[in-house]
PDB file of all heavy atoms in Angstrom:
ATOM      1  N   GLU A 890      -7.605 -30.110  44.679  1.00 87.00           N
ATOM      2  CA  GLU A 890      -8.645 -29.840  43.633  1.00 87.00           C
ATOM      3  C   GLU A 890      -9.799 -30.842  43.755  1.00 87.00           C
ATOM      4  O   GLU A 890     -10.965 -30.471  43.653  1.00 87.00           O
ATOM      5  CB  GLU A 890      -8.015 -29.942  42.261  1.00 87.00           C
ATOM      6  CG  GLU A 890      -8.943 -29.705  41.088  1.00 87.00           C
ATOM      7  CD  GLU A 890      -9.555 -30.964  40.549  1.00 87.00           C
ATOM      8  OE1 GLU A 890      -8.840 -31.975  40.504  1.00 87.00           O
ATOM      9  OE2 GLU A 890     -10.758 -30.953  40.221  1.00 87.00           O
ATOM     10  N   GLY A 891      -9.482 -32.138  43.993  1.00 87.00           N
ATOM     11  CA  GLY A 891     -10.530 -33.143  44.107  1.00 87.00           C
ATOM     12  C   GLY A 891     -11.359 -32.947  45.331  1.00 87.00           C
ATOM     13  O   GLY A 891     -12.603 -33.044  45.295  1.00 87.00           O
ATOM     14  N   ALA A 892     -10.736 -32.653  46.476  1.00 89.00           N
ATOM     15  CA  ALA A 892     -11.434 -32.493  47.736  1.00 89.00           C
ATOM     16  C   ALA A 892     -12.329 -31.260  47.679  1.00 89.00           C
ATOM     17  O   ALA A 892     -13.529 -31.287  48.078  1.00 89.00           O
ATOM     18  CB  ALA A 892     -10.431 -32.390  48.886  1.00 89.00           C
ATOM     19  N   LEU A 893     -11.782 -30.148  47.168  1.00 89.00           N
ATOM     20  CA  LEU A 893     -12.577 -28.925  47.088  1.00 89.00           C
ATOM     21  C   LEU A 893     -13.754 -29.106  46.127  1.00 89.00           C
ATOM     22  O   LEU A 893     -14.862 -28.654  46.394  1.00 89.00           O
ATOM     23  CB  LEU A 893     -11.681 -27.779  46.606  1.00 89.00           C
ATOM     24  CG  LEU A 893     -12.283 -26.370  46.624  1.00 89.00           C
ATOM     25  CD1 LEU A 893     -12.720 -26.034  48.033  1.00 89.00           C
ATOM     26  CD2 LEU A 893     -11.253 -25.364  46.135  1.00 89.00           C
ATOM     27  N   GLY A 894     -13.493 -29.815  45.046  1.00 88.00           N
ATOM     28  CA  GLY A 894     -14.595 -30.093  44.077  1.00 88.00           C
ATOM     29  C   GLY A 894     -15.704 -30.917  44.686  1.00 88.00           C
ATOM     30  O   GLY A 894     -16.890 -30.640  44.481  1.00 88.00           O
ATOM     31  N   LEU A 895     -15.375 -31.955  45.465  1.00 90.00           N
ATOM     32  CA  LEU A 895     -16.388 -32.768  46.139  1.00 90.00           C
ATOM     33  C   LEU A 895     -17.187 -31.962  47.178  1.00 90.00           C
ATOM     34  O   LEU A 895     -18.396 -32.139  47.285  1.00 90.00           O
ATOM     35  CB  LEU A 895     -15.739 -33.998  46.778  1.00 90.00           C
ATOM     36  CG  LEU A 895     -15.507 -35.249  45.919  1.00 90.00           C
ATOM     37  CD1 LEU A 895     -14.914 -36.376  46.695  1.00 90.00           C
ATOM     38  CD2 LEU A 895     -16.806 -35.687  45.242  1.00 90.00           C
ATOM     39  N   ILE A 896     -16.483 -31.140  47.916  1.00 90.00           N
ATOM     40  CA  ILE A 896     -17.175 -30.342  48.928  1.00 90.00           C
ATOM     41  C   ILE A 896     -18.165 -29.386  48.321  1.00 90.00           C
ATOM     42  O   ILE A 896     -19.340 -29.277  48.757  1.00 90.00           O
ATOM     43  CB  ILE A 896     -16.146 -29.596  49.835  1.00 90.00           C
ATOM     44  CG1 ILE A 896     -15.339 -30.597  50.618  1.00 90.00           C
ATOM     45  CG2 ILE A 896     -16.827 -28.624  50.758  1.00 90.00           C
ATOM     46  CD1 ILE A 896     -14.151 -29.958  51.405  1.00 90.00           C
ATOM     47  N   VAL A 897     -17.722 -28.664  47.296  1.00 89.00           N
ATOM     48  CA  VAL A 897     -18.616 -27.727  46.619  1.00 89.00           C
ATOM     49  C   VAL A 897     -19.764 -28.441  45.976  1.00 89.00           C
ATOM     50  O   VAL A 897     -20.937 -28.001  46.018  1.00 89.00           O
ATOM     51  CB  VAL A 897     -17.834 -26.879  45.576  1.00 89.00           C
ATOM     52  CG1 VAL A 897     -18.785 -25.979  44.769  1.00 89.00           C
ATOM     53  CG2 VAL A 897     -16.763 -26.006  46.264  1.00 89.00           C
ATOM     54  N   THR A 898     -19.493 -29.609  45.341  1.00 90.00           N
ATOM     55  CA  THR A 898     -20.541 -30.410  44.712  1.00 90.00           C
ATOM     56  C   THR A 898     -21.597 -30.827  45.740  1.00 90.00           C
ATOM     57  O   THR A 898     -22.782 -30.749  45.517  1.00 90.00           O
ATOM     58  CB  THR A 898     -19.945 -31.599  43.998  1.00 90.00           C
ATOM     59  OG1 THR A 898     -19.012 -31.188  42.992  1.00 90.00           O
ATOM     60  CG2 THR A 898     -21.066 -32.445  43.334  1.00 90.00           C
ATOM     61  N   LEU A 899     -21.076 -31.286  46.921  1.00 91.00           N
ATOM     62  CA  LEU A 899     -22.014 -31.730  47.961  1.00 91.00           C
ATOM     63  C   LEU A 899     -22.904 -30.618  48.439  1.00 91.00           C
ATOM     64  O   LEU A 899     -24.102 -30.775  48.591  1.00 91.00           O
ATOM     65  CB  LEU A 899     -21.197 -32.297  49.125  1.00 91.00           C
ATOM     66  CG  LEU A 899     -22.008 -32.719  50.370  1.00 91.00           C
ATOM     67  CD1 LEU A 899     -22.941 -33.868  50.039  1.00 91.00           C
ATOM     68  CD2 LEU A 899     -21.086 -33.116  51.505  1.00 91.00           C
ATOM     69  N   PHE A 900     -22.336 -29.426  48.640  1.00 90.00           N
ATOM     70  CA  PHE A 900     -23.124 -28.293  49.080  1.00 90.00           C
ATOM     71  C   PHE A 900     -24.176 -27.885  48.027  1.00 90.00           C
ATOM     72  O   PHE A 900     -25.297 -27.555  48.390  1.00 90.00           O
ATOM     73  CB  PHE A 900     -22.210 -27.099  49.439  1.00 90.00           C
ATOM     74  CG  PHE A 900     -21.453 -27.280  50.708  1.00 90.00           C
ATOM     75  CD1 PHE A 900     -20.339 -26.525  50.984  1.00 90.00           C
ATOM     76  CD2 PHE A 900     -21.801 -28.280  51.601  1.00 90.00           C
ATOM     77  CE1 PHE A 900     -19.625 -26.710  52.180  1.00 90.00           C
ATOM     78  CE2 PHE A 900     -21.107 -28.484  52.787  1.00 90.00           C
ATOM     79  CZ  PHE A 900     -20.020 -27.682  53.062  1.00 90.00           C
ATOM     80  N   LEU A 901     -23.777 -27.923  46.764  1.00 89.00           N
ATOM     81  CA  LEU A 901     -24.714 -27.580  45.678  1.00 89.00           C
ATOM     82  C   LEU A 901     -25.859 -28.613  45.639  1.00 89.00           C
ATOM     83  O   LEU A 901     -26.976 -28.248  45.382  1.00 89.00           O
ATOM     84  CB  LEU A 901     -24.001 -27.498  44.364  1.00 89.00           C
ATOM     85  CG  LEU A 901     -23.245 -26.197  44.013  1.00 89.00           C
ATOM     86  CD1 LEU A 901     -22.521 -26.372  42.705  1.00 89.00           C
ATOM     87  CD2 LEU A 901     -24.199 -25.036  43.984  1.00 89.00           C
ATOM     88  N   ILE A 902     -25.506 -29.834  45.862  1.00 90.00           N
ATOM     89  CA  ILE A 902     -26.535 -30.901  45.838  1.00 90.00           C
ATOM     90  C   ILE A 902     -27.538 -30.702  47.001  1.00 90.00           C
ATOM     91  O   ILE A 902     -28.771 -30.776  46.809  1.00 90.00           O
ATOM     92  CB  ILE A 902     -25.873 -32.287  45.956  1.00 90.00           C
ATOM     93  CG1 ILE A 902     -25.128 -32.665  44.648  1.00 90.00           C
ATOM     94  CG2 ILE A 902     -26.910 -33.397  46.277  1.00 90.00           C
ATOM     95  CD1 ILE A 902     -24.328 -33.938  44.758  1.00 90.00           C
ATOM     96  N   ILE A 903     -27.008 -30.384  48.181  1.00 90.00           N
ATOM     97  CA  ILE A 903     -27.900 -30.200  49.339  1.00 90.00           C
ATOM     98  C   ILE A 903     -28.712 -28.920  49.227  1.00 90.00           C
ATOM     99  O   ILE A 903     -29.864 -28.869  49.661  1.00 90.00           O
ATOM    100  CB  ILE A 903     -27.078 -30.254  50.627  1.00 90.00           C
ATOM    101  CG1 ILE A 903     -26.363 -31.569  50.765  1.00 90.00           C
ATOM    102  CG2 ILE A 903     -27.961 -30.061  51.870  1.00 90.00           C
ATOM    103  CD1 ILE A 903     -25.457 -31.669  51.991  1.00 90.00           C
TER     104      ILE A 903
END
Side-chain angles (χ1 to χ4, degrees):
E890 181 267 321
L893 189 58
L895 273 182
I896 293 172
V897 174
T898 301
L899 176 63
F900 287 164
L901 280 176
I902 289 174
I903 300 177

